[in-house]
Amino acid sequence: MAEDLESVGVVSERGRSWKAHTSMTLSMAFYGGYHVITKVALNDGVNQLVFCFYRDFLAFTILATLAFFLERRTRPPLTKKLLMSFLILGFTGVFGNQLLFLLGLSYTNPTYAAAVQPTIPVFTFMFTLMMGIEKLNLLRYEGWAKAGGTLICVSGAIFMVFYRGPAVIGGNEMDQVTQIKPSGNSSRFAIDIGLDSFQLGVVFLIGNCICMAAYLALQAPLLKKYPANLSVTAYSFFFGVALLVIASFFMVNESTEWILTRSEILAVAYAGTIASALNYGIISWSTKILGPALVSLYNPLQPAFSAILSQIFLGTPIYLGSIIGGTFIVTGLYLVTWASYREKQETYDGVTPNGSWISEPLLHEKGECQSGHTQGPPA
């Protein structure tokens, strides 16, 4: 009977894992739709900080309402330490992540900003290794698959940005990429600290990626202490919105910039409900199941989905570079997923999986037998 119950638990856990993988794939598709839908609104001249505030405030309203009704009986009591953790999540994942990206984009250009984003899985993997959330054993196939899969995934995303190639689907016209011009005050600020505008933009973009990586890494241990993932996300957005209000007070000069057109309102509605509320909820839930390192590896899928949806709805061509880069991304994701699955299977079965380079020493096995249970080798 005990073995039957254990088998049911293993099947249930594996089922949740595959649901999380599917949800993260859909999440990146939703982000791809977000890029397409908001493109027109941003080109119309909407203030990006105002756009982010409306988007995040709407997301907070939705998440707070759902969390209040769905998790009011399971939500642990709040403490000062938890509130400080939520503040850090809001600062890194909502405020810092979005504001630094906007600043970096204003100093550089969208192409370079996209090229920097695939470093998020690398920073996340580094954070989780330092925090002990992830383990890397390069004496085993699984360890090499994790490290190699991460590099392949990131390389594919960067390849998509820097190599366009001929158009495979759609027209042959080159997309016109508009650079967002920094203001005069921004240019003077860059000169005052000894950097040119482009170098300062690179610093901001790297900070943006570090913030998102920190958000993913810090969220994992917090969800174990506070397992109400909707509430965690809602509190994060609350503090993120509060910080955006403070930033808007200093950075938005004209009151007319807070007035949105009909197309901008529709874009905000999609961004707040789908790209923020739904996607951040998926990310929190998936992080609890898959871990932050594996969740972060889905970020490079965004350029692939953006290219596909842009071709369908905007007629943007799909180039050879996007196809090759997308193949690299899928391959890298498969390698890391395979390694994580093998390690979880080892934990469930209590045996060393086939293909490991080393076997457990006899002394270690003897110590385990004396302790009355068997564990798999460390990851």
Side-chain angles (χ1 to χ4, degrees), residues 194-217:
L195 298 174
D196 61 37
S197 296
F198 193 87
Q199 289 173 331
L200 187 62
V202 173
V203 173
F204 283 138
L205 289 172
I206 292 175
N208 148 244
C209 296
I210 292 175
C211 281
M212 189 60 189
Y215 173 78
L216 294 172

Side-chain angles (χ1 to χ4, degrees), residues 24 92-93 97 116-136 146 150 154 206-221 283 286-287 290-300 336:
M24 283 305 303
T92 56
N97 171 39
V116 179
Q117 295 305 301
T119 61
I120 292 176
V122 177
F123 285 123
T124 305
F125 198 57
M126 292 171 58
F127 282 138
T128 53
L129 283 177
M130 290 187 292
M131 296 170 63
I133 300 173
E134 293 286 337
K135 297 180 180 179
L136 185 65
K146 276 187 174 182
T150 301
V154 172
I206 292 175
N208 148 244
C209 296
I210 292 175
C211 281
M212 189 60 189
Y215 173 78
L216 294 172
L218 294 172
Q219 194 180 56
I283 289 172
S286 299
T287 299
L290 301 177
L294 187 53
V295 165
S296 69
L297 276 173
Y298 278 86
N299 280 280
V336 178

Side-chain angles (χ1 to χ4, degrees), residues 41 44 259-269:
D44 287 342
I259 302 175
L260 302 180
T261 64
R262 180 177 300 180
S263 62
E264 292 167 355
I265 292 175
L266 292 175
V268 165

Side-chain angles (χ1 to χ4, degrees), residues 215-343:
Y215 173 78
L216 294 172
L218 294 172
Q219 194 180 56
L222 180 61
L223 287 171
K224 293 182 179 179
K225 300 177 182 178
Y226 199 90
N229 56 285
L230 277 177
S231 298
V232 169
T233 310
Y235 280 121
S236 301
F237 267 87
F238 169 78
F239 286 108
V241 169
L243 292 170
L244 281 171
V245 170
I246 297 174
S248 300
F249 179 78
F250 294 100
M251 298 179 67
V252 180
N253 299 321
E254 301 293 335
S255 59
T256 55
E257 295 186 18
W258 292 93
I259 302 175
L260 302 180
T261 64
R262 180 177 300 180
S263 62
E264 292 167 355
I265 292 175
L266 292 175
V268 165
Y270 180 90
T273 56
I274 305 299
S276 290
L278 178 60
N279 272 6
Y280 270 74
I282 290 175
I283 289 172
S284 297
W285 179 74
S286 299
T287 299
K288 188 163 58 174
I289 297 173
L290 301 177
L294 187 53
V295 165
S296 69
L297 276 173
Y298 278 86
N299 280 280
L301 280 178
Q302 289 188 45
F305 280 117
S306 295
I308 295 172
L309 293 174
S310 294
Q311 205 288 319
I312 294 174
F313 295 103
L314 301 179
T316 305
I318 295 180
Y319 297 94
L320 180 62
S322 298
I323 296 176
I324 297 176
T327 303
F328 271 80
I329 292 172
V330 173
T331 302
L333 281 172
Y334 173 79
L335 284 174
V336 178
T337 303
W338 173 83
S340 300
Y341 172 77
R342 294 270 294 190
E343 289 175 344

Side-chain angles (χ1 to χ4, degrees), residues 115-185:
V116 179
Q117 295 305 301
T119 61
I120 292 176
V122 177
F123 285 123
T124 305
F125 198 57
M126 292 171 58
F127 282 138
T128 53
L129 283 177
M130 290 187 292
M131 296 170 63
I133 300 173
E134 293 286 337
K135 297 180 180 179
L136 185 65
N137 186 353
L138 295 179
L139 296 177
R140 300 241 321 255
Y141 287 128
E142 290 81 4
W144 279 100
K146 276 187 174 182
T150 301
L151 292 177
I152 291 173
C153 196
V154 172
S155 299
I158 295 177
F159 185 86
M160 290 176 64
V161 174
F162 285 107
Y163 176 74
R164 186 184 296 264
V168 178
I169 302 175
N172 294 317
E173 298 83 2
M174 299 294 286
D175 294 337
Q176 298 296 321
V177 179
T178 303
Q179 181 172 348
I180 301 174
K181 301 295 183 182
S183 65
N185 292 333

